[in-house]
Every structure is written in structure tokens, then in C-alpha cells.
Amino acid sequence: QVQLVESGGGLVQPGGSLRLSCAASGIFSINAMGWFRQAPGKERELVATLTNGGATNYADSVKGRFTVSRDNAKNTVFLQMNSLKPEDTAVYYCHALAKRLSGSAWRPYFGQGTQVTVSS
């Protein structure tokens, strides 16, 4: 059974920082890991991803403020969020493009989400 478990969300003032973590288990192989987010009344959107080869992809709205990193040995992904803004408020979902078994197809997996609220 594949599980992605996030931690590190919470309430922070504008301009503050948070660090999200996500650990994946029950996975045979991972191609990429990253983060999506969904604000109230909006669609889920990509925040940042990092492939095994080191390629990154960031949403324009977070470039220069957020940094995605991985510990491949532990199947863990992190999101360092600096200079947070109220518009960053959302539920943040860990994402992995992975195979559950050696013969499985690559498919996306998501965690349950962690709330990030930026407010004074």
C-alpha cells in the first residue's frame, strides 16, 4: 500500500517561513516528487517538482521564494517556503510519480494534505 505522509503545515505570518516534509512508503521506484496545492474555491495546482535527474519545475508564483529538495535514500521530499504571502494559503499535497511494484505502470500518488495558512 502506497502512503505519502506530509508534515510541517501550520499558521504563519506574512513574510514568515515554513518547511514541509513528506515521506513515501510502499513504493518500488520513484521518478519524481514534489508538491501541489489547492486554495478554497480553486483547482489544485503544481507548486514544485524535482525529478531523479535533478530537474526542477516551479510555479511562477513561488519562484525565488520556495525550494524543493529530496532525500532519495529515504523517499522523502521537502518544501522550504520563505517570504510567505496570504495568497500562499492552501492545502499542500505531497506528490510522487512512482511505481508501486516492479511491473506496475508509472502513476501519480498524492498524500492527504497539510494546511498552510498565512495570516496576521
Side-chain angles (χ1 to χ4, degrees), residues 2-103:
V2 174
Q3 284 191 312
L4 276 67
V5 180
E6 302 102 334
S7 61
L11 173 65
V12 63
Q13 292 187 342
S17 298
L18 279 177
R19 180 177 171 86
L20 305 182
S21 301
C22 171
S25 61
I27 287 179
F28 171 76
S29 181
I30 296 176
N31 180 280
M33 294 189 78
W35 298 87
F36 283 67
R37 69 185 180 187
Q38 187 166 18
K42 294 188 177 181
E43 294 186 354
R44 189 175 296 189
E45 63 174 357
L46 180 146
V47 176
T49 60
L50 175 57
T51 70
N52 288 355
T56 57
N57 186 24
Y58 290 95
D60 288 343
S61 59
V62 307
K63 285 180 180 177
R65 300 187 297 121
F66 291 10
T67 303
V68 62
S69 60
R70 288 173 58 183
D71 183 339
N72 292 334
K74 297 182 178 180
N75 285 345
T76 302
V77 64
F78 307 95
L79 186 67
Q80 178 65 43
M81 304 185 292
N82 298 329
S83 302
L84 281 160
K85 305 175 181 180
E87 50 263 44
D88 294 318
T89 296
V91 177
Y92 284 70
Y93 297 91
C94 177
H95 164 266
L97 180 63
K99 289 185 177 185
R100 188 174 68 86
L101 301 171
S102 61

